Amino acid sequence: MATTEQNRANGRLHLSFEFFPPKSPEMDKQLWETVAELSRWNPDFVSVTYGAGGTTKAPTLEAVRRMIGDAKLHTAAHLTCVDASRDDVHKVVDEFRAAGVRHFVALRGDPSTGIGTAYTPHPDGYANAAELVKGLREISDFEISVSAYPEKHPESADEAADIDMLKRKFDNGATRALTQFFFDNDVYERYMERVVAAGITIPVVPGIMPIQNLTQLKRFAGRCGTSVPSFLDVRFEGLDENPTDRAKVAADVAAEQIEDLQRRGFHEFHLYTMNRAPLVNAVLENLGLSPERRSAA
Ligand code: FAD
């Protein structure tokens, strides 16, 4: 049976959605419309990003509080430890806990001096995400997701160092990893072979980025160390001035990537929503899913 037909039949695919905290009243409106729209897909959880150095603490906390209280969604709060003492981090954890958070996405964060500059840990802080995971685990029995990098983190010396960091996060109590977005499923499959060989047994969930705008995406991907295969140039060629066809291609590309991963045996996906619903809806519809069947499942 084709994967789309399987999805139609039982919708067994696991989904999570990532949002970022709004920075203006317009973005606030857009976020909550998007959350209302996407919660119809019955995600396993949603997550809200957190500015490195605590720059978005208040809006992240507010968004998380509403997602748990009003939208009744299982919500994970991202948490970074860059430029923060352990005490600072623990205070933030307490605030999130009081808001009902039981799931953190534990991250080091980018250096406040800019991506690509050397990372200097706070003298009384956690040096990396593995240490943060250990600290969280000592506080409570949280669900703890962490990052993973199929194409290695730009700061990692090599692939082995990168896997080693994921192993340390796993050993310290991480319960799931969410990957940086990628477009080459062979790269992810080879990465998963290394993950399994390292004895890491938690789910390492593919992060899927539906492409709103290929030019902007390329700039962002360059900073993240994600390669953008040339087939994407071909697929989006000539569509700069044609938003309708561009959105259709973007939905096809992301759905094809997920279908291919399903054929390879992966059934859990973390979607970077960019706080917009239409493209995510189109991707999931292309996969043969329907909100009604997922709610009933
Ligand atoms: P770690 O897991 O600690 O390290 C990542 C890799 O970098 C490791 O593999 C390690 O080999 C290498 N490394 C780490 N420290 C050093 C060092 N000092 N020297 C050499 N190599 C080193 N950022 C935000 O600000 N807010 C968010 O909400 C956020 N959410 C994210 C969600 C996901 C799913 C992902 C994949 C990333 C997210 N990021 C976010 C980005 C993340 O903060 C950056 O990639 C950051 O640079 C690394 O954080 P980390 O937790 O992955 O680091």
Side-chain angles (χ1 to χ4, degrees), residues 10-51:
N10 57 25
R12 69 198 176 111
L13 175 133
H14 289 273
L15 294 172
S16 54
F17 298 135
E18 183 168 312
F19 301 100
F20 59 85
K23 294 193 190 89
S24 66
E26 295 72 34
M27 288 168 82
D28 189 71
K29 184 167 175 287
Q30 184 177 330
L31 170 65
W32 294 108
E33 285 171 3
T34 302
V35 169
E37 180 79 16
L38 293 185
S39 39
R40 299 178 310 130
W41 294 102
N42 204 12
D44 289 7
F45 69 94
V46 298
S47 75
V48 185
T49 62
Y50 185 85

Side-chain angles (χ1 to χ4, degrees), residues 245-280:
D245 284 1
R246 205 169 63 218
K248 191 177 172 316
V249 168
D252 287 347
V253 165
E256 286 163 23
Q257 183 182 11
I258 293 173
E259 271 189 313
D260 181 58
L261 286 165
Q262 285 188 280
R263 278 193 293 273
R264 297 174 194 230
F266 304 101
H267 299 288
E268 204 172 335
F269 301 94
H270 184 68
L271 272 81
Y272 293 102
T273 70
M274 306 310 284
N275 292 5
R276 287 169 203 264
L279 186 47
V280 175

